[in-house]
Amino acid sequence: MERITILDGKRIVLGVTGSIAVFKAADLASKLTQAGATVDVIMTEAAQRFVTPLTFRTLTGRPVYTDLWNTEGDGGLPTHIAHIGLAEGADLMVIAPITAHHIGKLANGLADDLLSVTVLNMRCPVVIAPAMDGDMLEHPAVAENLRRLQERGVIVIESEEGRMASGLMGRGRLPEVPTLLGLIRHQLGREWGLLRDRRVVVTAGGTREAIDPVRYITNRSSGKQGYAVAQAALDSGASVTLITTPTGLELPVGAHVILVESAQEMLDAVLSCMPEADALIMAAAVADFRPAQYADQKIKKGDKDLRITLSHTTDILQTVGEQRRETGYPHILIGFAAETQDLIENAQSKLRRKNADYIIANDVTAKGAGFQADTNVVTILGADGSIVTLPQQTKTAVAEAIIQRVAARLQTVPRR
Ligand code: CTP
């Protein structure tokens, strides 16, 4: 797993309480560590009945804290008193899984073990992820405690529905690790990101233009660059709407997703988001043409050649670019230019024609660039005349470079 910028160098205190879902907490601790975070784990006594501290010590490379009365092996904490040292300088506290008992303790400010004492010292955001079986989550006592904690600013990750360890079906499962990781990223972004309180709309994927109920015309876009842009915006704390065609990629956690197929559907979705958007990033490969006629029934093979007349689709970026000449919104408009020749000239013409602030141009035939690759080689052209060519890098790094430009522009304009 590659390092994740928003997690790199952060100090996360992970509280683990006694639930069978601790096996997911072990994976979470591992993923956070691999992403570059320093993870200090506090285990309750009940948690140690399911797994030993050695599991977490091995995965995080750090001491694991289990005992309020034992302050040895402080792992370089700011002070040797563990509950103070753990709280000081922490960027985020996550308690996953948290049991009904510990929810009750937190809600009432009880402090009789290292975890509950440490929470009371925390000045950073606290995220809790309940996990419990049967009807416990719906019990009025638990529901009331969760409500009180939320009112106090504790972030509660919603438990998922599904099969429990008991064999019962219901709500109470700890979400899977990618979901937990995504929510943690978004929370950190909301705390420190440059796009807090900003609304960013990203389009991704290749549109599908239907010929008949079974066939369509599409292109080679994978959606990877657009999804990376959406994730980078989430990591910066933005509220993100991702307007995407079906790509088969994992959806970025925390994004509001609008699934579309055709250029027309994408146009409608984009326009519906514009009244509130601060930024639009058109990473989608929108078809320029669609079949002029849609056949309601499947076209049969027959024995003659089939001719399909194609008509122009509406240019979404250009439409929004024209609208903003009147409205001034969105504040920042970014397009892509996938070219096979005359990269700079073609991109410059698109920049002007579409009234964009930046065009991210790439030669899709270049090595390490293009549709299916995980890396990209792009040149960023600005309406201010700037031309910056980035070396070959991951689509994640390209996305971060784009979001940095969005953040720089938005810093100069008021919130919507
Ligand atoms: N785009 C759009 N709507 C379209 C076509 C393209 O919004 N109907 C956007 C793309 O999302 C991209 C930018 O315009 O951000 C440039 O797309 P591209 O296909 O490279 O350019 P075109 O304007 O279609 O020109 P050409 O195909 O002739 O290169």
Side-chain angles (χ1 to χ4, degrees), residues 99-109 128 137 139-152 154 156:
T99 56
H101 181 62
H102 270 270
I103 291 169
K105 286 208 315 193
L106 240 70
N108 290 287
I128 61 172
L137 195 60
H139 191 284
V142 178
E144 166 68 17
N145 285 335
L146 284 172
R147 216 172 14 254
R148 281 168 65 195
L149 287 170
Q150 272 174 316
E151 278 165 15
R152 247 183 257 154
V154 172
V156 179

Side-chain angles (χ1 to χ4, degrees), residues 183-214:
L183 293 170
I184 290 169
R185 289 171 81 153
H186 197 30
Q187 196 48 50
L188 286 169
R190 288 211 155 136
E191 204 58 30
W192 286 281
L194 293 170
L195 294 180
R196 289 187 306 269
D197 305 327
R198 296 293 194 174
R199 289 172 193 274
V200 175
V201 179
V202 182
T203 65
T207 62
R208 296 173 171 184
E209 309 303 326
I211 299 170
D212 68 15
V214 289

Side-chain angles (χ1 to χ4, degrees), residues 203 205 207 263 266-267 280-289 312-319 334-339 346 350 353-354 358-360:
T203 65
T207 62
M266 188 169 277
L267 172 71
L280 170 65
I281 301 158
M282 284 291 308
V286 187
D288 292 326
F289 302 99
H312 271 114
T313 58
T314 306
D315 192 306
I316 304 171
L317 188 55
Q318 196 167 334
T319 305
I334 298 183
F336 278 70
E339 306 292 346
N346 280 326
K350 282 172 197 177
R353 196 159 23 101
K354 305 192 186 211
Y358 290 102
I359 288 285
I360 318 299

